């Protein structure tokens, strides 16, 4: 059996980007509880540090789960529209950093 087949329709560009997405657990309270951040955005607040850490680990793991390969369209800041194939297996590398 050979490598898995990933369809790419004519006229579409397939993304080969794999990026690292750290999930930071802030060792301080946020909105009356504990929170983690991804790309500078805070999660909801959790009652305990342990609950926030578990949620951060779950969120990081979910980002690594492959999905379906689909055509996507998006607009860039300069107003141009682009169409490309988003490979379902093109998932970021994630980890959780519990920072004091």
């Amino acid at each position: 059996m050979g490598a898995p087949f990933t369809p790419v329709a004519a006229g579409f560009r397939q993304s080969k980007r794999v990026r690292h997405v750290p999930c930071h657990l802030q060792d301080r309270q946020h909105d009356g509880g504990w929170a983690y951040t991804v790309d500078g955005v805070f999660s909801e607040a959790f009652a305990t540090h342990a609950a926030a850490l578990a949620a951060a680990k779950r969120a990081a793991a979910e980002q690594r789960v492959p999905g379906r390969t689909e055509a996507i369209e998006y607009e860039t800041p300069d107003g141009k529209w682009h169409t490309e194939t988003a490979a379902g297996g093109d998932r970021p590398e994630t980890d959780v950093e519990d920072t004091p």
Side-chain angles (χ1 to χ4, degrees):
M1 184 152 284
F5 174 71
T6 304
V8 179
F12 291 115
R13 180 174 56 90
Q14 185 170 6
S15 172
K16 292 288 186 186
R17 296 167 293 186
V18 174
R19 64 186 187 116
H20 180 255
V21 180
C23 181
H24 297 281
L25 181 64
Q26 301 296 312
D27 193 15
R28 63 183 175 84
Q29 295 210 336
H30 173 72
D31 276 350
W34 297 88
Y36 63 89
T37 62
V38 177
D39 286 340
V41 178
F42 281 92
S43 70
E44 65 273 26
F46 295 90
T48 65
H49 181 270
L53 180 59
K57 288 179 179 179
R58 189 169 46 253
E62 288 172 0
Q63 288 299 309
R64 294 187 300 265
V65 175
R68 295 187 338 221
T69 295
E70 298 186 37
I72 60 170
E73 291 184 325
Y74 60 93
E75 184 178 10
T76 53
D78 61 2
K80 294 181 182 175
W81 282 91
H82 303 270
T83 302
E84 67 180 56
T85 298
D90 183 16
R91 305 305 306 150
E93 295 176 8
T94 61
D95 64 6
V96 176
E97 298 171 9
D98 191 357
T99 55

